[in-house]
Amino acid sequence: MRNVFSIVSFVMAMLGGLATMFTAQRERQTMGTIVAIAFLISFFINVSREAKLILQGACVISFAMAVLGAGVAILTHQDDKRTGGIVTGIVALGTSLVILFLYLEFFPP
């Protein structure tokens, strides 16, 4: 049951990140950021180390979200979207690295 909660939490965190990147209104960006952070914390609390497939999927999706955030930050002309893209990209990249090194125990040769 914890893994189901972790999957739902991760999906909601990603939706909050997308809302932060693609919404132009500052209030909605703030709410998207709060939702994303709260559900990301819930994901890390609920996920188990034995759920390797869930962790691998979350790592890949987080990295893709970081690349998307970087693309939005580089290509947009609106300051609010650029800021949201930068913040979302940094948090998503940090999330993918935490999953990769702490949960999946990846050690480069």
Side-chain angles (χ1 to χ4, degrees):
M1 194 64 169
R2 286 180 58 189
N3 289 331
V4 173
F5 288 150
S6 67
I7 292 170
V8 172
S9 297
F10 187 76
V11 168
M12 288 303 298
M14 293 300 111
L15 288 176
L18 288 173
T20 302
M21 279 194 288
F22 293 116
T23 302
Q25 296 175 347
R26 196 63 162 166
E27 295 84 21
R28 288 186 182 180
Q29 283 183 332
T30 304
M31 187 54 68
T33 304
I34 292 169
V35 166
I37 290 171
F39 278 104
L40 194 59
I41 291 169
S42 174
F43 169 75
F44 282 119
I45 290 172
N46 287 317
V47 73
S48 65
R49 289 183 182 263
E50 291 79 30
K52 296 292 185 189
L53 187 62
I54 294 172
L55 289 167
Q56 289 171 350
C59 185
V60 169
I61 293 170
S62 293
F63 187 75
M65 190 80 154
V67 170
L68 181 65
V72 168
I74 292 169
L75 298 175
T76 190
H77 297 292
Q78 297 175 353
D79 288 337
D80 291 339
K81 288 185 179 181
R82 184 177 300 124
T83 303
I86 291 170
V87 170
T88 303
I90 290 171
V91 171
L93 185 60
T95 300
S96 68
L97 292 175
V98 165
I99 292 170
L100 186 65
F101 290 116
L102 293 181
Y103 285 90
L104 295 176
E105 297 174 354
F106 174 77
F107 299 107

